[in-house]
Amino acid sequence: MAEVVHMIDSEVFLAFSTYATIVVLKMMLMSLMTSYFHLTKQVFSNLEDTALVKTTEDRKKLVRVDPDVERVRRCHLNDLENIVPFVVIGLLYALTGPDLSMALLHFRVFVGSRFIHTVAYMMALPQPTRALAFGVGLFITFSMAYRVLTTALFL
Amino acid sequence: MAEVVHMIDSEVFLAFSTYATIVVLKMMLMSLMTSYFHLTKQVFSNLEDTALVKTTEDRKKLVRVDPDVERVRRCHLNDLENIVPFVVIGLLYALTGPDLSMALLHFRVFVGSRFIHTVAYMMALPQPTRALAFGVGLFITFSMAYRVLTTALFL
Amino acid sequence: MAEVVHMIDSEVFLAFSTYATIVVLKMMLMSLMTSYFHLTKQVFSNLEDTALVKTTEDRKKLVRVDPDVERVRRCHLNDLENIVPFVVIGLLYALTGPDLSMALLHFRVFVGSRFIHTVAYMMALPQPTRALAFGVGLFITFSMAYRVLTTALFL
């Protein structure tokens, strides 16, 4: 991290910005997918939300748990649990001045693994598809963390 | 992102720091609100927590699900799902050197929308108040992501 | 934040990078712990996941809620709710150029409090151990937010 200031203006940092933005946008799509399921399946978590699809009788029945909505929710939470570490550690990793090709490899594989993870989760593809996608993403983040700690360690 | 280094020391970056800190503090208040509901409504998720309000008999009865606690929890999770993308994309956006007035507009509208979202959620205000607050926040983050990707795209 | 650019290359920033990486890695271990419980206790959230341990009869019975898995999940979510604010506000705090000793104090106490929190949660230690660990972490983040807002306020 000796010349980190110059690093911020580098291609590595631009690449990080690009891939971090893409994968965070992907995560935000889970919010929209949840809303879509709520509205099309007419299943809600809050009584006041039922007014969005029904204004008269029996709105209470629409407040229930639905397996499809729960699946999107778990997929979304898994994104949060994995994409947040990628963004934090990836930012610090980008500032350690890695080779552009190595950095691109990390960013591309991570982002690819999360897209595969989402498709595998939403379509309930046979395991170990989703488990592998999850594991690859984890491995990439650990690999970047290793470089951050070996380059910048200051306890 | 040509002169990004100078940008970090700019008024846009100070504005980002201010609004990001405020909206993250708001999110943290949800933790305190959850604790407050746990203690005042005597509803807990873990058996060991019941000792905080009761030391003798029947502590197991206090481990249950309460609709008010679940509402705070959903509001908190929605904050995480939306404020994390704002912070990540907002930081990168601030580094692209946008006009101060445009940046302030983005930051203020987002933070305002999340305060409205929280009030609408906690008071169960009639829809579409909360849905609109959610949508405005999403739109702001997409708008910043658009600028990041058009300014810094490096695939 | 007058000379923030020089700050990024400082020991405070290296310390932040180190402690942020360590505490995010700790958070990621919760994912692995969840997977471990799923596999060893044979409890799953998705039908397709049951194929990881069983290929024949009665796989539906493995899709259920287990108290130990729920405990890891709550611990993981609590990490997200607290470590994300630390990382965001801690990054901005590091850029305000605090004294190295003060910064190290903040980072070390926060990271320590989250390790204690995890141990207290997973082993169900008697309260208020976990409540105190949670409170200390919250206080540290508030303290850093206070410095960010008093140094960088730009509304």
Side-chain angles (χ1 to χ4, degrees):
Chain A
M1 258 196 202
E3 305 209 350
V4 74
V5 172
H6 309 158
M7 291 306 146
I8 292 193
D9 204 10
S10 68
E11 291 181 320
V12 170
F13 197 80
L14 293 179
F16 171 73
S17 301
T18 302
Y19 287 99
T21 301
I22 289 170
V23 81
V24 168
L25 287 175
K26 190 223 79 56
M27 181 168 78
M28 294 173 76
L29 286 185
M30 304 313 294
S31 286
L32 294 178
M33 213 180 286
T34 308
S35 303
Y36 175 79
F37 274 98
H38 278 310
L39 293 172
T40 54
K41 299 203 74 178
Q42 308 216 345
V43 182
F44 297 93
S45 306
N46 306 286
L47 184 56
E48 71 269 23
D49 301 354
T50 59
L52 292 168
V53 295
K54 218 174 205 177
T55 46
T56 50
E57 25 74 71
D58 270 3
R59 284 169 36 192
K60 279 196 177 175
K61 280 187 190 165
L62 303 184
V63 180
R64 55 196 164 82
V65 170
D66 176 88
D68 288 348
V69 173
E70 293 308 301
R71 184 175 280 273
V72 192
R73 216 189 282 287
R74 285 195 299 274
C75 184
H76 197 170
L77 191 56
N78 194 285
D79 264 2
L80 262 179
E81 292 168 357
N82 289 279
I83 291 174
V84 166
F86 167 77
V87 167
V88 173
I89 293 174
L91 173 69
L92 301 173
Y93 168 80
L95 296 178
T96 64
D99 283 342
L100 179 60
S101 58
M102 277 303 288
L104 282 172
L105 183 68
H106 281 81
F107 301 157
R108 284 171 184 162
V109 172
F110 181 86
V111 173
S113 79
R114 295 311 300 180
F115 274 93
I116 293 170
H117 182 273
T118 301
V119 172
Y121 216 146
M122 295 314 299
M123 303 184 69
L125 296 186
Q127 287 281 24
T129 314
R130 202 183 86 233
L132 281 178
F134 166 78
V136 167
L138 214 64
F139 177 79
I140 291 289
T141 309
F142 282 143
S143 167
M144 296 193 305
Y146 177 78
R147 184 175 161 94
V148 172
L149 289 182
T150 49
T151 316
L153 194 68
F154 190 100
L155 285 167
Chain B
M1 258 195 205
E3 306 208 349
V4 72
V5 173
H6 308 159
M7 290 306 147
I8 291 194
D9 203 11
S10 69
E11 291 182 321
V12 169
F13 197 79
L14 293 179
F16 171 73
S17 301
T18 302
Y19 286 100
T21 301
I22 289 171
V23 82
V24 168
L25 286 175
K26 189 223 78 56
M27 182 168 77
M28 295 173 74
L29 285 185
M30 304 312 294
S31 287
L32 294 179
M33 213 180 287
T34 308
S35 303
Y36 175 79
F37 273 98
H38 278 310
L39 293 172
T40 54
K41 299 202 76 177
Q42 308 217 343
V43 181
F44 297 94
S45 306
N46 306 287
L47 183 57
E48 70 269 25
D49 301 354
T50 58
L52 291 168
V53 295
K54 218 173 204 176
T55 46
T56 49
E57 24 76 68
D58 270 3
R59 284 169 36 193
K60 278 196 178 174
K61 280 188 190 163
L62 303 184
V63 180
R64 55 195 164 83
V65 169
D66 176 88
D68 288 348
V69 173
E70 293 308 300
R71 183 174 280 271
V72 192
R73 217 189 282 287
R74 286 195 300 275
C75 184
H76 197 170
L77 191 55
N78 195 284
D79 263 1
L80 262 179
E81 292 168 357
N82 288 280
I83 291 174
V84 166
F86 167 78
V87 167
V88 173
I89 293 175
L91 172 69
L92 301 172
Y93 169 80
L95 296 178
T96 65
D99 283 342
L100 179 60
S101 58
M102 278 302 288
L104 282 171
L105 183 67
H106 281 81
F107 300 157
R108 285 171 184 162
V109 172
F110 181 86
V111 173
S113 78
R114 294 312 300 180
F115 274 93
I116 293 170
H117 183 273
T118 302
V119 172
Y121 217 146
M122 296 314 298
M123 302 184 68
L125 296 186
Q127 288 279 24
T129 314
R130 202 183 85 231
L132 281 177
F134 166 78
V136 167
L138 214 64
F139 178 78
I140 291 289
T141 310
F142 282 143
S143 167
M144 297 192 304
Y146 177 79
R147 184 176 161 96
V148 172
L149 289 181
T150 50
T151 316
L153 195 68
F154 190 100
L155 285 166
Chain C
M1 259 197 202
E3 306 209 350
V4 74
V5 173
H6 308 158
M7 291 306 148
I8 292 193
D9 204 10
S10 68
E11 292 183 319
V12 169
F13 197 80
L14 293 179
F16 171 74
S17 301
T18 302
Y19 286 99
T21 301
I22 289 170
V23 81
V24 168
L25 286 176
K26 190 224 77 55
M27 182 167 78
M28 295 173 74
L29 285 186
M30 304 312 294
S31 287
L32 294 178
M33 214 181 285
T34 307
S35 303
Y36 175 79
F37 274 99
H38 278 309
L39 294 171
T40 54
K41 300 201 75 178
Q42 307 217 344
V43 182
F44 297 93
S45 305
N46 305 287
L47 184 57
E48 71 269 24
D49 301 353
T50 58
L52 291 168
V53 295
K54 219 173 205 179
T55 47
T56 50
E57 24 76 71
D58 270 6
R59 284 170 36 194
K60 279 196 178 175
K61 279 188 190 163
L62 303 184
V63 180
R64 55 195 164 82
V65 169
D66 176 87
D68 287 348
V69 173
E70 293 310 300
R71 183 176 280 272
V72 191
R73 217 190 281 289
R74 287 196 299 274
C75 184
H76 197 170
L77 191 56
N78 195 285
D79 263 1
L80 262 179
E81 292 168 358
N82 288 280
I83 291 175
V84 166
F86 168 77
V87 167
V88 173
I89 293 175
L91 173 69
L92 301 173
Y93 168 80
L95 296 178
T96 64
D99 284 343
L100 179 60
S101 58
M102 277 303 288
L104 282 172
L105 182 68
H106 280 80
F107 300 157
R108 285 171 182 161
V109 172
F110 181 86
V111 173
S113 78
R114 295 311 300 179
F115 274 93
I116 293 169
H117 183 273
T118 302
V119 172
Y121 217 145
M122 296 314 298
M123 303 184 67
L125 297 186
Q127 287 279 25
T129 314
R130 201 182 87 234
L132 281 178
F134 166 77
V136 166
L138 213 65
F139 178 78
I140 291 290
T141 309
F142 282 143
S143 167
M144 297 193 304
Y146 177 78
R147 183 175 161 96
V148 172
L149 289 181
T150 49
T151 316
L153 194 69
F154 190 100
L155 285 166

